[in-house]
Amino acid sequence: MSLYERAVEAAEFLKSKTAVRPRVGIILGSGLGEFAEQVTDVVAIPYAEIPNFPQSTVQGHSGRMVIGSLCGVDVAVMQGRVHAYEGYRMEEVTFPTRVLKLFGVEQLVVTNAAGGIDPRYGQGTIVGICDHINLTGTNACVGPNEARFGPRFHDMSEAYSERLLEIAQEEAQKQAWMLKTGVYLAVLGPSYETPAEIRAFRTLGADLVGMSTVHEVIVARHMGMEVLGLSLVTNMAAGVLDQVIDHEEVMEIGRKVAAQFSSLLSVVVPRMAAL
Ligand code: CYT
């Protein structure tokens, strides 16, 4: 079966499980999985049950598709994602994004836990991604192009929707905080970066560093989806502060900022859906 056919099979499976046809999809990053509890009238499907779906091996990425309503808007929330550093091929890492599109999703919110390079960020800062730098050494669209998904060469000049970012900034302001924006640089991982790498990335124009998101955004744009990217700064990147980086801490910060993150998305998603 071709990639397209496998994605169709997975999307058809989701359609058989629910009558809901969300136009908004949300991918939850490390420590942000709790957000799925905001969804009501839930149909939750473990990734293991969805045909052809990759399973995550990382602790804290529980792995299920939560379909339901978020403040009156139909959504498909991915609680957990797989990463390239787990050894998955690009096609597997981005398979769920392909399936979301075939399921009917046109607007995608991608979230992640990231290291802060910009010293104006602090631990727990939520940042709106305005652009990215892909230093993972690969691209999710490598290989024969599937024209039913999109063109061979696709534009990435507005990978992250300016209008969605503006909405997120407006809503943050209404909640009395400022949503800073930043450029997300992706590495393969799984090791965290060295201080020398972080200095190099800062010179390159990066404000955040992480190990996900860019591949999903590349295929989302390939398929013409509109993207909002949000990073949670779970730690300052290596060398920015004089302290080591610990995965447990990354997860813990996610839980602490969960409420702020939830209240933002709960108002942003209805506005996105109304566009
Ligand atoms: N932190 C993180 N680098 C970091 O420092 N969550 C990903 C990558």
Side-chain angles (χ1 to χ4, degrees), residues 8-48:
V8 167
E9 186 181 36
E12 291 303 318
F13 175 83
L14 295 179
K15 289 178 186 171
S16 76
K17 292 288 172 187
T18 170
V20 175
R21 295 290 177 268
R23 292 189 57 253
V24 179
I26 303 172
I27 303 178
L28 297 176
S30 308
L32 294 168
E34 213 176 272
F35 174 77
E37 283 159 32
Q38 306 297 311
V39 182
T40 57
D41 305 308
V42 164
V43 175
I45 308 160
Y47 294 159

Side-chain angles (χ1 to χ4, degrees), residues 5 20 30 55 82 89 119 138-139 147 150 176 184 196 199 220 223 250 254:
E5 287 162 342
V20 175
S30 308
Q55 317 296 309
V82 300
R89 290 173 291 115
T138 186
N139 187 296
Y184 177 92
R199 286 193 298 276
M223 301 181 294
V250 167

Side-chain angles (χ1 to χ4, degrees), residues 136-156:
T136 64
T138 186
N139 187 296
C141 288
V142 168
N145 185 57
E146 173 51 75
R148 285 170 287 189
F149 284 131
R152 172 75 291 183
F153 303 104
H154 69 280
D155 181 56
M156 288 291 286

